[in-house]
């Protein structure tokens, strides 16, 4: 508690200052001694019509390639922004901004296990595979909305909620949807309908009464042999990824309470632990994967994690001993726009929890964080967090459209250390003149760069 209390005042402001600033000096061995923001056009100024920080544009997805050379963000403004650590300077500007599907905000995003492609899910029913530079490779087919049996359709029929790439197979991906199904797609099979990829396997999620329920989150086990689904009725379901069965191998109903949807699931590095989170709960729970059952108790009950966003997630440290998660705060109302100027009130934070090593220990007591850091501007919430295992750097995305990285000069490697070491390149008068007259929007992109 003392460490958490002393950490918050020392945390850096989340403004778009390109300089790296000290975050906190800690004795926990966490890579949080320095922090730096990423420049983003999604971070807009609040207006009287929408007083929320960022004008309502929220980061809804984060992804880094396995090598840690590329960082991609997805936003509710329908755009993804691509960052290259080796190519950018300390200003950390995106080298490309792409509209994936007009009118459909980004919901989920992930890189392939080789880093050469990305899988993007939007509020439409048709996910899309892009190359590493954001150009479309193929879009998935949409199923027949009049067919009630999801196993008899070639694709999703409703909004996508989550996506995942197989950790070992380079051409197998998974998508989840509120239509009550999770689907595996084989990019190498070539099975298409009207140039759209057809799904390969269908997993139908049902609640305790055998009624179809929406799939709100999905994740592959690190071995690829099983997959985990979180559902709208609050269950955690473990399925065999090789053979489709009529029911899951293991299931836990009401993981966060009756009727509270599980909106985030994730494995640690070896798949022995599983973390879940719900938007209707203020806790994150870590479970022993092999012991998951209807009577299972969590090994960690992390408290103090209010969430106002369905996509709020958690992340394990590379060694699986620490859990990090972001918190939400109430956004300002229309009659409180003036209060935002110079506000020192609530802001989103990231909280760190120690994960018990002993697998035989289960806990029903809420555990307090060992450290807490301010990571967002006043009135903004933390929506997404990612802890890259190779870089040992923590990336956070906020509800005002901003992103920030936490790192340490000794504990971290490459990534933002490379870009921040370059300083900010000084532009000459000619470059500034050309930028001021450059085409804006889609007219500034080449024909091969535009994704409809």
């Amino acid at each position: 508690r003392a460490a958490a209390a002393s950490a918050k005042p020392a945390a850096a402001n989340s403004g778009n200052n390109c300089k790296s600033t000290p975050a906190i000096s800690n004795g926990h061995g966490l890579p949080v001694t320095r922090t730096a923001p990423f420049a983003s056009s999604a971070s807009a100024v609040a207006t009287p019509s929408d007083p929320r920080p960022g004008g309502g544009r929220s980061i809804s997805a984060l992804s880094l390639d396995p090598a840690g050379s590329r960082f991609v963000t997805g936003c509710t403004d329908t755009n993804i922004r691509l960052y290259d650590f080796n190519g950018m300077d300390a200003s950390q500007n995106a080298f490309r901004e792409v509209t994936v599907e007009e009118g459909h905000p980004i919901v989920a995003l992930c890189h392939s296990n080789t880093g050469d492609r990305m899988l993007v899910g939007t509020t439409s029913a048709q996910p899309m595979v892009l190359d590493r530079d954001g150009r479309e490779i193929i879009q998935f087919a949409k199923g027949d909305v009049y067919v009630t049996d999801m196993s008899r359709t070639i694709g999703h029929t409703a909004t996508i909620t989550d996506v995942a790439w197989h950790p070992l197979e380079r051409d197998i991906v998974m998508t989840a949807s509120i239509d009550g199904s999770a689907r595996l797609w084989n990019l190498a099979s070539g099975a298409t309908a009207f140039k759209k990829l057809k799904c390969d396997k269908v997993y139908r999620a049902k609640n305790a009464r055998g009624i179809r329920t929406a799939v709100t989150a999905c994740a592959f086990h690190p071995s690829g042999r099983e997959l985990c689904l979180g559902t709208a009725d609050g269950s955690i379901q473990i399925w065999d990824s090789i053979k489709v069965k009529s029911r899951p191998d293991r299931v836990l109903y009401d993981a966060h309470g009756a009727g509270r949807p599980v909106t985030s699931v994730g494995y640690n590095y070896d798949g022995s632990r599983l973390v879940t989170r719900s938007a209707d709960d203020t806790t994150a729970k870590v479970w022993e994967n092999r012991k998951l059952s209807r009577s299972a108790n969590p090994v960690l009950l992390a408290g103090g994690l209010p969430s106002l966003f369905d996509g709020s997630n958690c992340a394990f440290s590379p060694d699986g001993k620490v859990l990090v998660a972001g918190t939400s705060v109430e956004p300002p109302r229309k009659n409180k726009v003036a209060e935002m100027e110079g506000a020192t009130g609530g802001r989103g934070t990231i909280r760190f929890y120690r994960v018990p090593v002993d697998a035989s220990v289960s806990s029903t007591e809420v555990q307090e964080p060992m450290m807490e850091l301010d990571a967002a501007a006043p009135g903004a919430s933390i929506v997404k967090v990612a802890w890259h295992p190779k870089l040992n750097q923590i990336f956070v995305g906020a509800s005002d459209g901003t992103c920030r990285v936490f790192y340490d000069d000794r504990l971290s490697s490459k990534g933002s250390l490379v870009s921040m070491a370059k300083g900010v390149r000084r532009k000459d008068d000619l470059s500034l003149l050309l930028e001021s007259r450059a085409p804006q929007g889609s007219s500034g992109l080449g024909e091969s760069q535009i994704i409809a």
Side-chain angles (χ1 to χ4, degrees), residues 21 26 58 71 131 157 159 164 174-175 178 196 198 216 253 265 294 305-306 311 362 369 377 405 410 451:
T21 54
N26 72 92
S58 171
F71 173 54
D131 67 10
T157 60
T159 299
M174 175 169 54
T175 57
I178 63 174
K196 307 294 184 182
K198 297 193 294 184
T216 51
Y253 295 106
V265 296
R294 300 193 182 198
L305 296 173
S362 61
V405 59
R410 294 185 303 104
I451 297 179

Side-chain angles (χ1 to χ4, degrees), residues 113-354:
N113 51 34
T114 55
D116 61 335
R117 289 166 292 178
M118 298 180 290
L119 176 61
V120 183
T122 67
T123 54
S124 75
Q126 297 176 269
M128 190 179 298
V129 176
L130 313 178
D131 67 10
R132 68 193 307 264
D133 292 323
R135 299 182 178 89
E136 179 181 351
I137 296 177
I138 193 169
Q139 189 176 31
F140 296 173
K142 183 177 181 179
D144 189 342
V145 296
Y146 296 104
V147 177
T148 57
D149 186 354
M150 288 296 101
S151 64
R152 298 186 179 276
T153 62
I154 61 175
H156 289 295
T157 60
T159 299
I160 300 300
T161 56
D162 204 359
V163 299
W165 207 292
H166 197 286
L168 303 177
E169 298 287 343
R170 67 186 308 270
D171 293 314
I172 302 297
V173 300
M174 175 169 54
T175 57
S177 170
I178 63 174
D179 65 9
S181 70
R183 297 172 184 267
L184 296 187
W185 310 74
N186 190 338
L187 304 179
S189 69
T192 60
F194 301 102
K195 297 183 179 181
K196 307 294 184 182
L197 186 68
K198 297 193 294 184
C199 73
D200 187 45
K201 298 177 182 178
V202 182
Y203 297 84
R204 295 176 294 173
K206 297 180 181 179
N207 61 19
R209 295 178 295 173
I211 301 174
R212 184 174 67 181
T213 182
V215 182
T216 51
C218 66
F220 276 109
H221 188 275
S223 68
R225 295 178 181 177
E226 67 180 33
L227 53 91
C228 177
L229 305 181
T231 66
D233 73 306
S235 68
I236 309 170
Q237 303 183 10
I238 307 298
W239 296 77
D240 189 330
S241 64
I242 307 299
K243 182 179 179 181
V244 179
K245 302 177 182 178
S246 59
R247 62 185 64 184
D249 293 340
R250 303 187 300 281
V251 63
L252 170 62
Y253 295 106
D254 301 331
H256 288 264
R260 293 179 174 177
V262 176
T263 53
S264 173
V265 296
Y267 288 95
N268 65 348
Y269 72 99
D270 63 356
S272 61
R273 299 285 176 85
L274 179 69
V275 63
T276 62
R277 191 174 179 182
S278 171
D280 295 341
D281 191 10
T282 59
T283 64
K285 298 182 179 182
V286 176
W287 312 85
E288 193 68 24
N289 182 33
R290 300 308 304 177
K291 297 181 180 179
L292 192 70
S293 65
R294 300 193 182 198
S295 59
N297 289 319
V299 297
L300 171 65
L301 186 59
L305 296 173
S307 173
L308 300 176
F309 299 85
D310 288 341
S312 298
N313 69 334
C314 309
F316 283 105
S317 62
D319 59 6
K321 296 180 179 179
V322 178
L323 182 73
V324 61
T327 65
S328 297
V329 296
E330 285 286 347
R333 306 303 177 187
K334 288 187 177 181
N335 58 352
K336 296 185 178 180
V337 180
E339 298 180 10
M340 287 303 300
E341 298 183 3
T344 58
R347 65 177 71 193
T349 64
I350 54 174
R351 296 185 173 187
F352 297 88
Y353 300 84
R354 185 73 65 184

